[in-house]
Amino acid sequence: DTGRLTTWVITPCGPGCADVAVTPVTDPRVNPHGGQARLVDGRWVLIVPSAQAVRCKPPNDGVTVPGTVTFSLDAGSMSGTAVHVQSVAGCGDPAGATSRGGFTLTKVG
């Protein structure tokens, strides 16, 4: 939803399994990340614990907060959601606060 672009390199790791590497990341506050995605009821689900799970909004937009990001992607449309849950208080929100954004993957190779 932000207009930022990243590259996801996806490699099969068995039936209903895909290794995902997200790099380079275009947001300088966020490190490259990834993990194993699993196919669940027609959706690919990737859960990533991250020190930069939540990115604060201005005026604190240089700050990140640890937590998890759960990516859920429809296997047919390649559109999905990313749910960010912070594990500690930060950005003016309590621990456990969530935010949601949308994304779409486009095959390039």
Side-chain angles (χ1 to χ4, degrees):
D1 291 347
T2 64
R4 293 187 182 104
L5 299 176
T6 58
T7 299
W8 288 35
V9 177
I10 302 170
T11 307
C13 56
C17 178
D19 287 323
V20 179
V22 181
T23 184
V25 176
T26 57
D27 186 334
R29 299 171 292 175
V30 180
N31 292 324
H33 56 279
Q36 269 192 355
R38 298 288 179 177
L39 187 59
V40 179
D41 296 328
R43 296 189 73 81
W44 287 99
V45 178
L46 171 66
I47 300 172
V48 179
S50 174
Q52 301 94 14
V54 175
R55 295 174 287 275
C56 297
K57 294 176 178 61
N60 298 317
D61 55 341
V63 177
T64 59
V65 178
T68 59
V69 183
T70 301
F71 297 95
S72 177
L73 176 73
D74 182 271
S77 70
M78 301 300 281
S79 292
T81 58
V83 177
H84 305 257
V85 180
Q86 55 191 71
S87 58
V88 299
C91 300
D93 293 315
T98 64
S99 61
R100 176 184 304 264
F103 69 97
T104 302
L105 295 183
T106 303
K107 186 175 180 178
V108 295

